Amino acid sequence: MPRNLLAAVMMSALLAMLLSFLPSIRSNNPNAVPTFRQNQPLVLTKQNVVDLFTFLPTHYNIKRVKWEEQSIYVDLLVSENQPALLEQAYRDFYLLVHQALALTKNVQQLNFRLMEEPVDQPAKLLVAISAKRPLQEGEPIDPNDLPAIKSYVESSFQVRIDPFFHENISP
């Protein structure tokens, strides 16, 4: 019995030593992708612009995404019977800005609109915000690390709020 235990320990040690050399083995396959590598910023095109927003959890529904001349145009829609919260609109906007600037390298501007769509009428603009890529490259602040997102967005970006929205905004 002790011989079997000793043999098992020796085999385990030998196997562990051999497995420690695996990360240094290089592949000759040019299509092989390393498991651990630094993420490269995405180059946005008309073909992959929707991919950037596919898994983004926004509070309001995304109605339209358009990519044109290094600018992204995003329209979010709130239904007539849904409360429109300015704080939530700012959070959605900043989440979109964070994704667009942190994950891409060719987006220079993001234009955001929150619109209300009444039944049998054209959509009304509630909030429009524009963000430009800063001249100095740096990591944008994570949306979860902003304690006062309203004051940050209003001081950092061009914000236009429709007067009608102020009167009818939910508390």
Side-chain angles (χ1 to χ4, degrees):
M1 190 79 130
R3 276 191 194 165
N4 291 341
L5 181 61
L6 183 62
V9 168
M10 295 290 279
M11 287 297 290
S12 297
L14 179 65
L15 185 59
M17 188 177 77
L18 289 174
L19 287 174
S20 70
F21 292 112
L22 278 180
S24 64
I25 296 174
R26 302 283 180 220
S27 173
N28 293 333
N29 183 355
N31 296 329
V33 177
T35 303
F36 300 104
R37 65 181 171 143
Q38 187 176 5
N39 276 344
Q40 297 298 320
L42 177 69
V43 175
L44 209 61
T45 64
K46 283 187 177 187
Q47 286 73 29
N48 67 359
V49 70
V50 175
D51 296 341
L52 185 64
F53 300 103
T54 301
F55 299 107
L56 195 61
T58 57
H59 182 75
Y60 299 112
N61 294 331
I62 296 176
K63 180 180 182 178
R64 181 179 76 114
V65 175
K66 181 180 175 185
W67 168 248
E68 186 176 277
E69 297 180 18
Q70 296 186 332
S71 295
I72 298 175
Y73 299 89
V74 180
D75 289 346
L76 271 64
L77 193 64
V78 59
S79 63
E80 188 176 37
N81 56 0
Q82 182 183 11
L85 304 169
L86 189 58
E87 184 84 18
Q88 193 60 53
Y90 285 161
R91 184 161 299 286
D92 282 353
F93 161 74
Y94 192 73
L95 188 63
L96 293 170
V97 167
H98 185 264
Q99 287 288 100
L101 299 182
L103 299 180
T104 67
K105 66 179 183 181
N106 64 329
V107 173
Q108 297 303 316
Q109 185 170 350
L110 184 125
N111 297 300
F112 168 91
R113 295 188 308 178
L114 178 65
M115 304 175 82
E116 180 183 44
E117 190 168 53
V119 180
D120 298 332
Q121 292 179 6
K124 288 190 291 189
L125 177 67
L126 300 176
V127 179
I129 309 173
S130 180
K132 292 186 178 185
R133 184 179 291 273
L135 295 177
Q136 60 195 23
E137 288 296 321
E139 188 69 26
I141 302 170
D142 189 278
N144 297 323
D145 294 340
L146 286 173
I149 197 159
K150 181 180 186 289
S151 61
Y152 180 79
V153 167
E154 288 177 346
S155 65
S156 301
F157 305 102
Q158 294 177 343
V159 178
R160 179 181 165 256
I161 301 174
D162 189 87
F164 174 77
F165 187 52
H166 272 301
E167 295 169 9
N168 295 322
I169 192 162
S170 303

